[in-house]
Amino acid sequence: MKKGQRSKAALGNDHVKAMLYLYPHLEAFEDAVRQSARNKAALSYKKRDAFAAACEVAEEILFCDTLGRLRTDLSAVLQTMSAEERYLIDYKYFHAQGEGLPLSYGERSYYRRQNALLQKARMLLRAKGWTGESFLAQFGRDQLFMRVFTAVREGREAEIVKKRRKKTLAVRQTKSSLSSLRTGGVLREKKTNADTASAAQTAMQTSAICTPVRGLRGGSGDSGEPPAVSFVR
């Protein structure tokens, strides 16, 4: 495989990553869409085409139901995971800030477990009907979902979530990790332009959630960057 290319398996997990990154925001997004439907219904008398106005309201209500189903299914998937698995999910996709639990394995095992956990989440979501095709069918025209999905696909995951105040995940030291520490090679978060990160955060937490705009047509993922990891002596 050429440098910069990603495997088909990695590409096939993009929708799973997008859903996990969006999970903490789904309830707020659902509420915003529901309020949008109410507003459209209240202002429908101003529309010349009553049928078109009714269709817009119905579309918002159906989309709200879809968001609720996704949130419920993701919650059910997370509930099947062990405490350690949930911690790894929280740390990578929700950017948990707490000290958390020290892990008994090294960095290579950490990456392997994250990959295995992503595959597990994919299979559990697939059993509930969430495949890459169904994800795009339901959310392919939504601006927020496609913004996150495209960022994952293009290897720009660092722009999706807020950078941690400090590195908190502790894995067991190995000979290679100690050598890495001595040479200054501690695993680092991907450096991004501060303005880009700030704009991405604002889009995720305010405009995209509080005032959801639907109608972006089309749009189609892992940067290879691990979450921040620190080593304890």
Side-chain angles (χ1 to χ4, degrees):
M1 187 182 302
K2 294 181 180 180
K3 185 177 181 180
Q5 288 185 335
R6 301 173 60 210
S7 67
K8 290 183 178 180
L11 290 171
N13 290 326
D14 290 346
H15 67 288
V16 181
K17 287 187 173 186
M19 288 189 283
L20 288 171
Y21 280 124
L22 283 163
Y23 174 72
H25 307 282
L26 287 179
E27 186 173 3
F29 192 29
E30 186 181 346
D31 290 342
V33 173
R34 185 178 293 107
Q35 185 59 50
S36 175
R38 293 194 186 106
N39 293 342
K40 287 183 178 181
L43 297 174
S44 61
Y45 71 92
K46 294 184 177 182
K47 299 281 187 177
R48 292 185 177 182
D49 190 337
F51 179 74
C55 287
E56 287 183 10
V57 174
E59 183 181 1
E60 294 290 331
I61 293 173
L62 290 174
F63 185 63
C64 189
D65 290 343
T66 301
L67 288 172
R69 181 167 67 87
L70 175 60
R71 181 165 58 86
T72 299
D73 289 344
L74 281 169
S75 295
V77 167
L78 293 173
Q79 287 174 4
T80 67
M81 296 181 178
S82 67
E84 181 181 298
E85 289 175 330
R86 180 57 193 267
Y87 177 69
L88 292 177
I89 288 285
D90 287 351
Y91 190 83
K92 180 170 183 177
Y93 298 100
F94 310 155
H95 264 211
Q97 295 287 350
E99 292 299 330
L101 50 91
L103 304 178
S104 60
Y105 40 81
E107 58 188 87
R108 291 184 181 179
S109 293
Y110 167 80
Y111 301 142
R112 285 196 295 267
R113 287 172 189 249
Q114 281 286 12
N115 289 332
L117 191 52
L118 185 62
Q119 293 297 332
K120 178 179 179 178
R122 180 186 180 186
M123 296 306 296
L124 291 172
L125 286 167
R126 183 183 182 87
K128 294 182 178 296
W130 294 107
T131 62
E133 292 76 14
S134 64
F135 173 85
L136 290 176
Q138 296 292 342
F139 305 114
R141 297 175 62 184
D142 181 78
Q143 197 172 41
L144 172 62
F145 275 82
M146 294 315 300
R147 184 184 299 129
V148 174
F149 180 74
T150 302
V152 171
R153 173 143 292 188
E154 294 178 355
R156 295 184 287 107
E157 292 183 50
E159 298 177 13
I160 298 174
V161 288
K162 183 179 180 181
K163 189 174 182 180
R164 290 185 183 85
R165 291 187 297 271
K166 64 177 181 177
K167 302 169 184 177
T168 57
L169 187 66
V171 298
R172 181 175 58 82
Q173 286 185 355
T174 61
K175 184 179 295 185
S176 60
S177 66
L178 287 171
S179 175
S180 176
L181 278 174
R182 285 194 293 270
T183 58
V186 180
L187 297 172
R188 304 178 189 280
E189 290 182 327
K190 182 178 180 181
K191 294 182 179 179
T192 58
N193 180 276
D195 293 336
T196 301
S198 177
Q201 167 124 7
T202 300
M204 275 285 295
Q205 295 185 346
T206 54
S207 62
I209 292 177
C210 298
T211 55
V213 178
R214 302 189 61 210
L216 179 65
R217 302 294 187 260
S220 67
D222 186 352
S223 63
E225 290 287 344
V229 178
S230 63
F231 300 92
V232 292
R233 295 186 181 279

